[in-house]
Amino acid sequence: MKLSQRLQYIMEQIPVGSRLADIGSDHGLLPVAAVRSGRVTQAVAGEVNDGPLQAAQKQVAEAGLADRITVRKGDGLAVIIAHEVDIITIAGMGGALIASILEQGKDKLASVKRLILQPNVGEDILRRWLIEHQWVLTGEHIMEEDGKIYEVLTAVPVSDSPVKQGELYRPLALSGSSLVLTQNWLEQLGPLLVREPNEVFFRKWKLEIHKLQNVLAQLARSEQESAQQKQQQLRKQIEQLEEVLTCLPKDKR
């Protein structure tokens, strides 16, 4: 069984000897691979929809791992009990939905030592949730696979983090610019990603600029005062994003 690059990277963030809950496990590929690799001793694969649930059950059975991987139907963290796992992975959903899952199941997080999260959109929403609930980012990775860009966020409780939240989100001055990246900027761009940007990071934000320019062009056709105000905001946002990309380390592009 071959994992996608995205799932392979997520699996590599799981410490050896972990007890895993993979929420929204789809076909159960990640927990099966994680147990086979020796990283995970026991796993729960959670799914809310019948189709993926049955696919995960079949995957686990064919792998001969039914004694080590439990497939459960349920919404979010409702599939686990407190202190049952120490690693939680949630991948392939919007950041707002992942944040909601964590919020609704936060009573299950007391024993969890690491969250490995891959939001498809809304990464800033997820970063804000982590800040508000005392989880510190220890890793951020941006990658492209099959034409799609993914970010993987790894976080640990404040008590286990070698870095303080304030250090991670301390305003960052850009070389050659008067623009300072405040916490709001860092939540959007990623406080770790922005310090070591790779080609995919630049590609993502150039695409975001292009989307904003398209919205700006549409607003230009409107004579409403609210549209004109929105245009001014978008122009400023585009200018600032372009300045950020220009001033970030060029040898990382």
Side-chain angles (χ1 to χ4, degrees):
M1 179 181 64
K2 184 172 174 60
L3 292 179
S4 65
Q5 291 178 35
R6 174 180 63 100
L7 289 182
Q8 179 68 31
Y9 181 82
I10 291 171
M11 187 182 75
E12 289 170 359
Q13 308 316 301
I14 302 172
V16 174
S18 298
R19 297 171 300 152
L20 169 70
D22 184 37
I23 306 302
S25 195
D26 198 11
H27 286 58
L29 295 176
L30 180 60
V32 167
V35 170
R36 279 180 167 171
S37 72
R39 289 180 178 272
V40 169
T41 57
Q42 298 286 330
V44 175
E47 248 306 331
V48 72
N49 297 313
D50 287 332
L53 180 83
Q54 292 167 4
Q57 289 171 333
K58 182 180 179 183
Q59 186 79 242
V60 170
E62 289 180 350
L65 294 173
D67 58 330
R68 298 176 67 186
I69 302 174
T70 308
V71 181
R72 298 175 188 164
K73 183 177 182 179
D75 192 4
L77 302 188
V79 298
I80 58 173
I81 58 176
H83 305 286
E84 186 177 15
V85 302
D86 43 42
I87 304 293
I88 291 176
T89 53
I90 310 177
M93 307 178 198
L97 178 54
I98 295 175
S100 175
I101 287 171
L102 294 171
E103 178 68 27
Q104 291 174 17
K106 59 187 176 185
D107 58 317
K108 309 287 180 65
L109 299 178
S111 66
V112 175
K113 297 298 183 183
R114 185 174 296 194
L115 298 173
I116 306 166
L117 313 169
Q118 183 265 296
N120 288 341
V121 293
E123 295 88 355
D124 57 323
I125 297 171
L126 192 50
R127 289 188 182 100
R128 279 194 287 275
W129 188 93
L130 293 170
I131 293 169
E132 290 166 6
H133 293 83
Q134 304 298 302
W135 288 83
V136 181
L137 287 169
T138 57
E140 292 186 304
H141 181 66
I142 186 167
M143 62 185 294
E144 186 171 6
E145 185 174 22
D146 297 331
K148 294 182 180 179
I149 293 175
Y150 301 102
E151 291 184 25
V152 180
L153 313 182
T154 303
V156 301
V158 166
S159 58
D160 294 342
S161 174
V163 179
K164 293 182 179 179
Q165 205 80 268
E167 295 174 11
L168 192 61
Y169 287 97
R170 179 180 293 136
L172 179 65
L174 292 175
S175 177
S177 170
S178 60
L179 187 63
V180 174
L181 298 184
T182 60
Q183 179 169 323
N184 182 59
W185 270 106
L186 294 173
E187 287 169 357
Q188 291 183 59
L189 299 169
L192 298 175
L193 291 176
V194 80
R195 286 172 169 85
E196 294 188 6
N198 61 14
E199 289 183 5
V200 182
F201 176 91
F202 283 100
R203 196 173 304 132
K204 172 186 174 171
W205 288 104
K206 285 176 181 177
L207 286 170
E208 289 298 321
I209 288 171
H210 183 66
K211 290 176 186 176
L212 292 173
Q213 289 170 333
N214 286 338
V215 174
L216 188 61
Q218 292 173 356
L219 287 171
R221 301 188 188 103
S222 174
E223 296 180 358
Q224 294 183 4
E225 186 176 341
S226 60
Q228 292 175 358
Q229 293 175 346
K230 184 66 175 175
Q231 284 181 65
Q232 292 177 352
Q233 294 171 359
L234 280 176
R235 284 194 190 98
K236 183 177 180 181
Q237 188 177 356
I238 290 168
E239 287 173 6
Q240 289 182 329
L241 268 174
E242 288 176 335
E243 186 172 351
V244 169
L245 296 187
T246 299
C247 295
L248 287 176
K250 293 180 174 57
D251 59 337
K252 299 289 185 180
R253 294 192 185 205

